[in-house]
Amino acid sequence: MGLSLTSKEVKRALEHPELQGKKPFGRGRYSLVFDNADAVLKLTVDRGAVDLQAYLENACQSLHTLPKIRRVVGEIGECAGQPLWLLEVERLDKLVAGTPQRKQALRLKKIQHGINGKAIAESYFRVAELTCRHMSVSSEIDEQWSNTFRLLADYAAGKHHLGCDFHPGNFLTRPATGELVLNDPFEDRTH
């Protein structure tokens, strides 16, 4: 179930004070993204982003490789029986062809080669962690990504409804630093 601007539920959610008068400039399968000065507002049915953030906070982990949720505005409606969440997330930029970040994203994407795309997320990220560790033991960047994949696998443990959403389109960059960030690493198969 994707989000449609023409659905009654989404139209009702767009009446929320923080979304009034804003037009989406981006979208994902389960989300709409709105400009909000130096951040973005993300309207989503994907509870995973909220749960992942809480998991990382409880694990006392701050990863530079995942987007920072500045605040969870909260559940502001419902769409097809699923809660609609509004989040304020740091602003990230799309990758630019030929940049070191794009090359790194494509290199990390190669980890996926040979892994069953239907695998549950835990298995997928465990394999990604091990593959990344063996790609280059001396690289600090590979170590960061290996740790990211380990934490994502730990988070996904036992959550068989989570699939992987690991593709080049989900890699973005942090404007201030140029760091590569993996956005929305999971796909909730209950939608």
Side-chain angles (χ1 to χ4, degrees), residues 12-45:
R12 253 191 312 273
L14 294 177
E15 293 172 4
H16 187 277
E18 294 198 45
L19 292 176
Q20 282 182 348
K22 295 188 178 188
K23 302 274 186 242
F25 73 87
R27 67 179 305 126
R29 190 169 177 189
Y30 305 113
S31 61
L32 296 168
V33 181
F34 301 84
D35 186 42
N36 195 39
D38 67 337
V40 297
L41 290 171
K42 182 176 179 180
L43 180 66
T44 183
V45 292

Side-chain angles (χ1 to χ4, degrees), residues 33-71:
V33 181
F34 301 84
D35 186 42
N36 195 39
D38 67 337
V40 297
L41 290 171
K42 182 176 179 180
L43 180 66
T44 183
V45 292
D46 182 10
R47 169 79 193 234
V50 178
D51 291 344
L52 177 59
Q53 182 71 18
Y55 171 81
L56 293 173
E57 287 173 7
N58 287 338
C60 298
Q61 296 291 322
S62 176
L63 296 173
H64 298 288
T65 51
L66 296 174
K68 307 281 186 277
I69 295 178
R70 292 185 176 176
R71 68 188 168 103

Side-chain angles (χ1 to χ4, degrees), residues 72-124:
V72 177
V73 176
E75 190 178 322
I76 65 164
E78 191 176 282
C79 189
Q82 298 289 325
L84 267 171
W85 291 89
L86 184 60
L87 315 170
E88 184 180 45
V89 183
E90 72 175 309
R91 180 179 292 282
L92 299 168
D93 291 337
K94 291 183 179 183
L95 291 178
V96 177
T99 61
Q101 294 87 349
R102 175 76 176 161
K103 290 175 184 172
Q104 183 186 8
L106 292 174
R107 194 169 133 269
L108 288 167
K109 173 66 177 135
K110 287 180 185 176
I111 290 170
Q112 185 180 16
H113 185 72
I115 303 173
N116 181 351
K118 300 289 184 199
I120 60 169
E122 178 185 8
S123 303
Y124 186 94

Side-chain angles (χ1 to χ4, degrees), residues 152-172:
L152 292 174
D154 290 348
Y155 166 74
K159 295 177 178 83
H160 300 291
H161 65 286
L162 289 181
C164 254
D165 198 9
F166 186 66
H167 58 83
N170 275 357
F171 282 101
L172 302 167

